[in-house]
Every structure is written in structure tokens, then in C-alpha cells.
């Protein structure tokens, strides 16, 4: 999402990095370049002015000009400013206000049509389910018939109950009926998918006000579309003034957008950005961390999020067993296949690479060559378990059979085996060094 912004900010930082000392002119040039980068990223003009003025004020202090490494000190100031504009560092302000299991928590999902509100409702429900809660999705978007059906399909996909009433006219009655069902079925969280229109109008606001009064929600989350840029911040501000918000969910965060929405929302609305939708799958829904996003914008990566993704698909016991195999050079083709599949569960390889310091924007989808990864998985899947456990038994006849079964050539099978031999040696070295610092990282990510 921030690829272009990252490139332009890194260009701007060249005015101050690598210099034994910097001047006020260096700082002004760097800040002016950052200003242009933010404006091109569709960041709200008022936000840009505040960012520029506060950065210049702090950067021109003696602390930076006379610092041992003024360039790094300036980068730290820019990083801290980005964090403050993206949101509060205190995670408690971004956490959902969830009640105990004996009292139902109500979450109202708001947003314009097409913002991703219905999908985000299901994603949030799945996330809460994984945290041990029992959510119920309630279809209160009675204007768009497809919304109710969409919510029902999503609920069935993630195995979460959905309350919908075909032909209903009153969203308040739908909610009240859903509440009665929830109390009887030990539900502890109600997530209401509310009505949405192409633009804000009075009838929609009146209905939302009625629903708010009836449900007395603990959270009122606006789902804003990242692709609308700073317009998302303006929409959020209007919703907050007319209905009241407790936070924002930024959908389509993985899209090729300029980043203006994320950088404008907190300052314009004063409300925390709580979650981001990072893909099309139900599990592509993450808490928003201002410090990590600031790191990505500055090209510093986001190793913490990467490790967290890894922990979701491989537990510590498996990782330690894998590390021991690698140290003893007992890593097999079976292990390799498991790691490829684990990596696929972590999501887009492009997104994972962008989380590594210095890698954002360095490789494109073509460079990654996803087709090659698919062919590797096909070759490995065409082997018998015995062959994957002991690759030394794979002679010419077996290679021919594997090539036919995977739709590849004998040369490709031979190349994979040769690469595997080389990789095992590299992995042994990494297992004794780098891997010990990151025990929960899937080994497949290392090569």
C-alpha cells in the first residue's frame, strides 16, 4: 500500500542521512520533499501542514543539529511524528471494549455502500471467535437485499450464526429479535451490519440513530475504504458528528492505494484506527499498529507482524523440532512441502517480503515468480512419502514419473533436487545462527 510513499520519503531522507553534520537548509529540503510525498499520497492538507510544522520545529533543535548521528536522529523524529499522526501508541485506546462472558457486547458496523462493511463484519466475528468469544452476526442492512444473503454466506463459511429476516422493514425489530435469540443461545457478542448507501443522507442517519438508541452499542466502528484516500477521513468525520464513532476499520488496506486515508483519519476524526482489512480471505483482518505502519512507510519493515503471522501457522514445538532437523541436516523434502504450505497460509509472499526491513518495493510479483513456487509444490506433491523422506532414492525412472505426475520436465525435477541439496547446507548454518533469534518463523521463509 505504501510502496510509492516509502520510495519518495526515502529519497527525501537522503538530504540528511550519511552526513557528519546537517544544517537547517538540509532539514528544510528534506521536510519539503516529505511534504510533497504526503500530498501526492492524498493525505489531508491540514494533516500535512501540522506534520511539517511540528517536524521542522523539533528537527531544528540543537539535539539534532549537534547529534552524533544527526541523520538517524532526524529519521527518528519523522518516525515518531508518523506514529503520532497514525494513532496512539497505547494499545488500550485501540482495543475493543468487550464485556465479560455473562453480558452481551454490542458492536455497530457503519459505512457507505461498497466500503466493505459486510465483509469486515464477518472478519471481525471470525477474529473474536478465535479469541474465544461467541459472536452473532445480525443482518440489519434492509435496503440492499444482497447484503443479507452475503452476510449469511460469509457466516456459513466461517461457521458463525447469522440472524436475518427476509422481508423485514424495521432494523430495530430485527435487532431486538436477534438479541432475544442471543440470550437464549449463550451469545456474548452481537455484531450488527447496518444499512449503507452510496452517499450519506438523512434517512440513513435517522435509521442509524434509531438503531443506536435501541442497541446502546459498546463499539461503533466505521468501515472506510482505503482506496478513497482522504475522502475516507471526511466521511468518518461526518459519521462521527452525526452518529458518533468509537473507532475506524480501514478496508482494502492491501490495495494499491497511496496511503492518504491511514495518515489522515486519526488527526481529522480524533478516533483510533482499530483494524485493517488486508485481503479477501476471512482471516485477512489485523489490529492496527501505528508504530509498525510507520516502520513500513520508512522502509524499516515490520518483522513483529511477520513473526505473528508465522506463529498462527506453526507452533513453537514444531519450529523447535524443525530447527533441530536443520542443525543435523535431517531436513527432508516432506518438511519442505509442509513449509511451502505453511507459507501459503501466511498470505501473499509479496506482503511478507514488504515486512522485511529494506525489502519493500524491491521485488515485484514477477520477481517472486509465484509460478515457480506452484511448480515446486506440484513436484513435491507428486512424490511418494518415502521419496520425500529420502530424496537419495529418486533416480532417473522416479524422476520421469514425478515429472509426468506434476506436469513438469525431468530437468525441472532434477533442478529442484539440486536446489534442495544446496538449501539444506544453507539451512544448517542459519539454524545455528539467525533462526535462534526467531524460533517461530517458518523455515520455508528462510530460503
Amino acid at each position: 500500500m505504501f510502496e510509492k510513499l516509502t520510495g519518495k520519503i526515502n529519497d527525501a531522507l537522503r538530504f540528511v542521512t550519511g552526513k557528519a553534520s546537517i544544517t537547517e537548509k538540509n532539514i528544510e529540503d528534506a521536510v519539503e520533499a516529505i511534504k510533497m510525498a504526503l500530498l501526492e499520497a492524498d493525505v489531508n492538507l491540514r494533516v500535512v501542514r501540522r506534520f511539517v510544522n511540528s517536524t521542522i520545529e523539533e528537527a531544528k533543535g540543537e539535539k539534532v543539529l549537534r547529534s552524533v548521528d544527526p541523520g538517524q536522529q532526524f529519521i527518528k523524529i519523522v518516525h515518531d511524528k508518523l506514529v503520532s499522526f497514525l494513532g496512539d501508541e497505547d494499545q488500550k485506546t485501540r482495543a475493543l471494549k468487550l464485556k465479560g462472558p455473562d453480558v452481551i457486547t454490542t458492536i455497530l458496523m457503519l459505512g457507505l455502500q461498497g466500503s466493505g462493511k459486510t465483509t469486515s463484519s464477518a472478519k471481525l466475528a471470525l477474529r473474536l471467535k478465535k479469541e474465544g468469544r461467541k459472536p452473532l452476526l445480525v443482518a440489519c442492512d434492509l435496503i440492499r437485499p444482497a447484503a443479507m444473503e452475503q452476510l449469511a454466506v460469509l457466516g456459513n463459511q466461517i461457521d458463525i450464526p447469522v440472524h436475518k429476516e427476509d422481508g423485514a422493514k424495521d432494523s430495530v425489530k430485527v435487532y431486538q429479535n436477534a438479541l432475544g435469540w442471543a440470550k437464549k443461545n449463550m451469545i456474548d457478542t452481537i455484531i450488527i451490519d447496518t444499512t449503507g448507501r452510496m452517499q450519506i443522507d438523512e434517512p440513513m442517519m435517522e435509521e442509524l440513530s434509531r438503531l443506536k438508541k435501541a442497541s446502546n452499542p459498546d463499539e461503533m466502528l466505521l468501515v472506510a475504504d482505503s482506496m478513497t484516500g482522504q475522502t475516507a477521513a471526511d466521511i468518518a468525520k461526518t459519521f462521527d458528528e452525526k452518529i458518533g464513532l468509537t473507532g475506524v476499520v480501514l478496508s482494502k488496506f492491501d490495495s494499491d492505494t497511496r496511503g492518504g486515508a491511514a495518515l489522515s483519519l486519526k488527526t481529522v476524526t480524533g478516533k483510533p484506527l482499530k483494524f485493517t482489512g488486508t485481503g479477501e480471505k476471512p482471516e485477512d483482518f489485523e489490529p492496527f499498529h501505528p508504530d509498525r505502519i510507520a516502520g513500513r512507510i520508512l522502509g524499516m519493515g515490520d518483522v513483529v507482524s511477520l513473526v505473528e503471522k508465522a506463529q498462527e501457522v506453526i507452533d513453537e514445538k514444531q519450529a523447535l523440532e524443525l530447527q533441530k532437523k536443520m542443525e543435523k541436516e535431517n531436513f527432508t523434502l516432506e518438511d519442505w512441502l509442509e513449509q511451502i504450505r505453511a507459507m501459503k497460509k501466511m498470505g501473499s509472499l509479496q506482503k511478507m517480503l514488504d515486512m522485511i526491513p529494506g525489502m519493500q518495493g524491491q521485488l515485484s510479483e514477477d520477481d517472486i515468480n509465484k509460478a515457480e513456487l506452484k511448480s515446486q509444490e506440484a513436484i513435491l506433491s507428486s512424490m511418494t512419502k518415502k521419496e520425500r523422506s529420502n530424496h537419495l532414492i529418486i533416480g532417473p525412472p522416479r524422476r520421469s514419473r514425478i515429472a509426468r505426475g506434476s506436469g513438469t520436465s525431468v530437468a525441472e525435477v532434477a533442478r529442484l533436487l539440486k536446489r534442495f541439496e544446496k538449501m539444506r547446507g544453507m539451512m544448517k548454518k542459519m539454524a545455528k545462527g539467525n533462526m535462534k533469534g526467531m524460533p517461530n518463523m517458518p523455515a520455508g521463509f528462510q530460503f
Side-chain angles (χ1 to χ4, degrees):
M1 176 178 180
F2 297 107
E3 185 177 324
K4 292 179 182 176
L5 179 59
T6 297
K8 289 185 178 296
I9 287 184
N10 283 336
D11 288 342
L13 293 175
R14 291 197 179 101
F15 285 105
V16 294
T17 52
K19 292 180 168 59
S21 63
I22 59 177
T23 64
E24 291 190 6
K25 179 69 165 57
N26 295 141
I27 290 172
E28 288 171 359
D29 289 342
V31 172
E32 179 63 23
I34 291 173
K35 171 186 170 183
M36 296 307 297
L38 294 173
L39 289 173
E40 288 180 23
D42 200 25
V43 179
N44 180 276
L45 180 59
R46 183 163 60 90
V47 175
V48 174
R49 284 173 178 164
R50 287 183 58 182
F51 182 90
V52 167
N53 292 338
S54 59
T55 302
I56 287 177
E57 182 181 349
E58 191 166 338
K60 283 188 175 181
E62 291 187 13
K63 183 179 179 183
V64 173
L65 295 174
R66 300 184 182 181
S67 166
V68 175
D69 190 334
Q72 290 299 317
Q73 187 66 29
F74 180 80
I75 291 173
K76 183 181 185 306
I77 289 172
V78 173
H79 176 271
D80 292 347
K81 292 297 175 188
L82 283 172
V83 171
S84 68
F85 276 73
L86 286 164
D88 298 320
E89 290 190 65
D90 185 1
Q91 192 172 343
K92 291 181 181 178
T93 63
R94 302 190 307 277
L96 292 177
K97 299 178 182 68
L98 300 174
K99 295 174 180 174
D102 298 328
V103 184
I104 294 176
T105 298
T106 302
I107 301 173
L108 220 56
M109 303 293 283
L110 310 166
L112 296 182
Q113 190 173 320
S115 65
K117 176 171 50 65
T118 301
T119 304
S120 296
S121 298
K123 288 180 175 182
L124 176 58
L126 177 60
R127 183 169 191 88
L128 293 176
K129 178 184 177 182
K130 288 181 177 180
E131 292 175 1
R133 298 188 70 88
K134 293 187 64 178
L136 169 68
L137 287 162
V138 182
C140 282
D141 185 351
L142 308 181
I143 301 297
R144 186 169 69 94
M148 290 190 288
E149 189 57 36
Q150 181 187 1
L151 195 66
V153 170
L154 289 169
N156 183 61
Q157 185 180 343
I158 59 180
D159 195 25
I160 288 175
V162 176
H163 180 91
K164 73 182 184 79
E165 299 178 14
D166 295 327
K169 302 292 184 183
D170 189 346
S171 60
V172 171
K173 287 184 179 179
V174 173
Y175 158 71
Q176 290 170 340
N177 293 337
L179 180 62
W181 189 90
K183 289 177 178 177
K184 293 176 184 177
N185 290 273
M186 305 296 288
I187 295 295
D188 59 22
T189 310
I190 291 177
I191 299 174
I192 306 172
D193 180 27
T194 64
T195 185
R197 288 175 172 79
M198 295 302 292
Q199 59 187 19
I200 296 171
D201 59 28
E202 284 306 314
M204 178 178 71
M205 288 302 175
E206 287 173 10
E207 181 178 348
L208 293 177
S209 295
R210 287 180 62 243
L211 195 52
K212 175 186 176 182
K213 186 176 180 181
S215 62
N216 189 25
D218 301 280
E219 291 280 358
M220 298 188 66
L221 303 179
L222 176 80
V223 180
D225 185 343
S226 298
M227 299 181 74
T228 59
Q230 62 174 298
T231 304
D234 297 331
I235 293 169
K237 185 179 180 182
T238 304
F239 265 93
D240 187 41
E241 290 171 348
K242 292 184 176 291
I243 304 295
L245 299 176
T246 58
V248 181
V249 175
L250 200 54
S251 65
K252 306 172 190 175
F253 200 67
D254 59 320
S255 60
D256 184 21
T257 58
R258 292 174 288 177
L263 283 160
S264 302
L265 274 164
K266 175 63 171 61
T267 302
V268 172
T269 66
K271 304 299 177 183
L273 216 172
K274 297 197 174 189
F275 294 97
T276 57
T278 57
E280 296 180 1
K281 296 178 182 177
E283 57 270 19
D284 293 335
F285 195 72
E286 300 174 4
F288 185 77
H289 297 281
D291 54 334
R292 301 184 192 180
I293 298 301
R296 288 194 209 180
I297 291 173
L298 292 176
M300 298 174 181
D302 183 5
V303 174
V304 177
S305 292
L306 186 57
V307 173
E308 286 177 354
K309 280 181 174 290
Q311 288 173 330
E312 291 177 8
V313 298
I314 184 168
D315 60 35
E316 189 168 354
K317 184 179 178 182
Q318 286 176 309
L320 291 173
E321 287 176 357
L322 195 59
Q323 185 174 320
K324 288 177 183 176
K325 282 186 174 184
M326 288 160 63
E327 286 175 350
K328 295 177 181 178
E329 221 168 333
N330 288 337
F331 186 79
T332 66
L333 291 170
E334 183 74 28
D335 297 318
W336 189 5
L337 180 60
E338 287 179 10
Q339 292 307 297
I340 288 176
R341 289 171 176 170
M343 286 170 63
K344 286 173 66 178
K345 290 180 184 177
M346 287 174 66
S348 162
L349 191 54
Q350 176 74 67
K351 286 193 285 186
M352 286 191 281
L353 286 169
D354 285 347
M355 291 182 188
I356 302 174
M359 288 298 292
Q360 187 171 32
Q362 297 301 308
L363 291 174
S364 67
E365 291 285 353
D366 292 335
D367 294 327
I368 294 169
N369 198 344
K370 293 189 291 184
E372 186 176 358
L373 284 175
K374 285 183 180 179
S375 71
Q376 287 176 1
E377 184 179 7
I379 291 170
L380 292 169
S381 298
S382 295
M383 297 177 184
T384 65
K385 194 158 188 177
K386 184 178 179 181
E387 288 168 340
R388 289 196 295 268
S389 297
N390 181 13
H391 67 286
L392 297 176
I393 67 172
I394 304 176
R398 290 178 185 262
R399 292 183 187 186
S400 298
R401 191 205 78 243
I402 293 166
R404 288 195 302 273
S406 59
T408 59
S409 65
V410 174
E412 286 176 279
V413 175
R415 190 159 52 244
L416 179 141
L417 293 171
K418 188 176 180 180
R419 180 180 298 176
F420 174 70
E421 286 280 7
K422 185 178 179 181
M423 183 181 69
R424 284 217 307 177
M426 290 170 58
M427 282 186 155
K428 184 176 181 180
K429 294 178 183 177
M430 285 193 290
K432 292 180 178 179
N434 297 341
M435 282 289 288
K436 291 183 179 178
M438 299 170 68
N440 290 346
M441 181 66 70
F445 186 77
Q446 299 289 339
F447 50 83

